Amino acid sequence: MDMMETFRQTYLEESFEGLQIMEAGLLELPPGNPDSEKINEIFRAAHSIKGGSGTFGFSEIAGFTHVLETLLDEMRDFKRDVTQESIDVMLGAVDVLRDMLTKLQNHESIDEERASVVQGQLEDILGGKTTSAFSNQPAVSGNEPAPTGWVVKLLPEKNLLQTGNEPLRIFRELNTLGQLDVEADLQNLPNLAEFNPEELFISWTLTLRGMEVELDDVKEVFEWIDGDGAEIKIEPLTSVAENESLHNDTPLGQPRSVAATSSVAQDVTSETTNKSAKVELQKKAPQQDGSIRVNLSKIDQLVNLVGELVITQSMLSQFGEQAEQSPDSSEWVDKLKEGLTHLERHTRELQESVMNIRMLPVSFAFNRMPRIVHDVSQRLGKNIDLIMEGEGTELDKTMLEQLTDPLVHIVRNSIDHGIETPDERLKLGKPAKGRVKMAAFHQGGNILIQITDDGAGINLDKLKQKAIDKGIVDLDTNLSQDELVDLIFHPGFSTADVVSDVSGRGVGMDVVRRNIRGLGGSVEVQTERGKGSIFTIRLPLTLAILDGQLAAVGSQTYVFPLVSIVESIQVDKSLVKGIAGQAELYKLRDQYIPVVRLHKRFGVSDAKTDLSDGLLVVVEEGGRRSGVFVDDLLGQQQVVIKSLETNFMKISGVAGATILGDGKVALIIDIAEALTSHKLSAVEKKQPHLVSAA
C-alpha cells in the first residue's frame, strides 16, 4: 500500500506538471490554422494525464480528459480550426483538471457538477454549438419559474484572508444588488488553543432576494476568489424555496439559526447536484507533504561531500588513537587542528549544498502570470505584452510558495490601475499594447523581483485626496512623494473610481506588504506620472540560514542580518540631537538618522545607556537608514534561523531566533519591523493620521 501511494503521488505531481505545459501551450496558441507543434505538445500532456488516471481508478479524470483529448485530436488532424472560444474553454478545462487533481491529492470529493458544465461546453464545441467559457454555473432552464433571487454557498479556503480578500466587503457589495440575508456555519471553528486569527474557519449561505438581479452580476462579485481561495455555489432562489419551507418555518427574510442554515444547505446540495457527492463542511484531510525535483548534479555533489566528511572523520579518529600512544603530543595536536580545519570546510560546503537542494527557479512562481495576464486583460479589454526575465534565478522553495499571491496582486493592479485602454494609449502617443515586465536577479545578498509597467503611473494628487476623504491624513499634512506612494499599502485603501471584479475594494496591497515582510523582505514602489511604475520586492536568499553580526546588549546577544548593516561607529555625543523628547537623531556626515535604543525596545535592564559607552550600528532598510545602539559587537557567523512563531509566539521586531555555539538562544532582529515600530512610536503623538497611514 505504501508503494502504491508513492506511485499515486508521483502520478499527481507529473499531472500537475502536465497541466502547466497545457496551460502555457494554450496561452501561446494563435487562433486560426492549428499550430501542429503546439497542439501535439498539449495533446501529449493531456494523453499522459488520461493514461495514468486509469491505473489508480480516477475514472472521472479519464472521462473528462477523453472529451478534451478528442477536441485536440481533431485540431491535430486539421479537421477543426483553433478559435478564441475553444482556447478559453480548454483553459477552463485545465482549471477543472487542476481542481480535480488537488482534491484527489487531499483525499476530498471531486466537484462533478463543475466538471460536467465544462465538459458540456467541450461537447458543444465538438457538436458545432457556441458556448461561453465563463459560464461556470448551470443556466436556469426556460421551463423553470423566473428566479426571485439567488442562494450562494461560500466555502472559503482557510488562507482566504491572507490573500487580501475579506468576506465582509463581498457581503456589502452583494447587499447593493438586493436584499441580503447572511447565515454563518460555525461548525468548523476549532477550540481556542488551536485558533489562528489569520485563518478562516467559517462558511456562509447567502440569500440574495431581488427579481431584477442577474446571475452575471452575482458571479462578478465572486470572480476575484472563485476557484482561487474559495468554492462558490450559486443556485436560483426558486429551486430551494420548497426545501426552506420543509425544514424551517421562519418567514422569508428573517435570520435563521446556524443549525437550520446547515440543514438547508445540505438539502439544497442534494436537490441540485444529484450527480455529485454532497459538499462536506467538515475539516479537510491533512495535505500531503510536498516534494522537490532535484537536479542529479546536486545529488552527486551532496554524495561527494558526505564521502569527504567520512574521510575526515576517519582521519580524526586515527589521530585520536595515535595521540594516546605517543608521548609527544605536539605533533598530533597540529594534525588534529588540520583535521578540524578540513571538517569545518566540508561542513560549510555540505550546509550550502543541502540548502541548494531547496532552491528552485522563480519560474515556478512566474509561470502562473501568463494565465493571469490573459484572463484579466480580456476581462478589461486591454492588450498586454508580458515579458519575463531571470526565470532561472533560484529562491528557497518555501519562499516561492508564499510569493505567488503577492505577485498576482501586483500584476493584477498593474494591468487594472496602471495600463491604459488601447484608445487612451493611442491618444497619448503610446503603442496600443501595454507592457508588463517581470524580472528576477541577484543584488548583494538578496534576490530582487521587479514588476514594471509602462502605464499611467500613480496619480499622487488623487492618492492624497482619497486619503483625505477617508480620514487617513489631515488636509494640511505635508507628505513626501515616498510617503504618498506608501498610502497604497494602507488597509482598505483604493484609488479605483469603480469597483470591479478585478480591483477597487481596497484589499490586497496591505497583504502584499505584510506577506513580503513575513518572508524577511521588503517592497518598494517607484512611479512617474504618464511613464509607469516599478514594484521592487527584495528577499533574502533563504529563510533557513543567515549571515549575521552578533551584538551584545547587556547580558543578551542579538543577531543583525549582515546584509542590512552599512557600518558601525563610535558615538560623538555632540552630534546627537533630540526632537521634543520624542526621538533622538544622530548626524552622520550630512544626514540625520534616528537612533534606536535596543535595550528600550526589548526591555534589557542591565544594558549601557550612555551613547558614548557603546556603538551605533547603522542599518538600512527600504532606502532608510537608522542607528541601532548596542553595547558591543561580538563577531560574525552564519546562524540557523528557528521560527519563534512556530515554537513560542510572534514577537514584534524579531525575525526569529538561533542557538549559539555555547547553547544560548539569541534573537534575530527584524530590521524592517523594528525600525518601522520605532518610527511609529516616535511620531504617533504628533501626527496620528500619518502613523495610521504608514
Side-chain angles (χ1 to χ4, degrees), residues 579-609:
I579 303 179
Q582 295 290 331
E584 291 176 297
L585 298 178
Y586 186 80
K587 187 176 182 181
L588 181 64
R589 291 178 280 278
D590 296 328
Q591 179 186 13
Y592 279 98
I593 61 174
V595 176
V596 180
R597 290 178 175 264
L598 212 57
H599 67 276
K600 287 186 177 180
R601 183 74 177 78
F602 296 112
V604 181
S605 59
D606 58 348
K608 296 176 181 178
T609 57

Side-chain angles (χ1 to χ4, degrees), residues 213-288:
V213 180
E214 299 289 339
L215 176 60
D216 288 342
D217 295 333
V218 180
K219 289 194 295 183
E220 192 172 294
V221 176
F222 292 98
E223 280 188 350
W224 178 259
I225 61 173
D226 190 10
D228 188 19
E231 183 178 351
I232 314 295
K233 294 286 187 180
I234 305 176
E235 296 293 338
L237 181 59
T238 52
S239 68
V240 297
E242 292 183 4
N243 283 303
E244 290 187 54
S245 63
L246 286 173
H247 295 277
N248 189 7
D249 295 330
T250 306
L252 291 177
Q254 298 298 319
R256 297 191 295 269
S257 67
V258 172
T261 302
S262 180
S263 64
V264 171
Q266 291 174 359
D267 290 332
V268 170
T269 308
S270 63
E271 177 174 340
T272 58
T273 58
N274 294 325
K275 294 189 293 181
S276 63
K278 292 184 179 181
V279 176
E280 296 182 2
L281 299 182
Q282 289 80 16
K283 291 183 179 179
K284 294 182 179 180
Q287 295 194 1
Q288 300 292 325

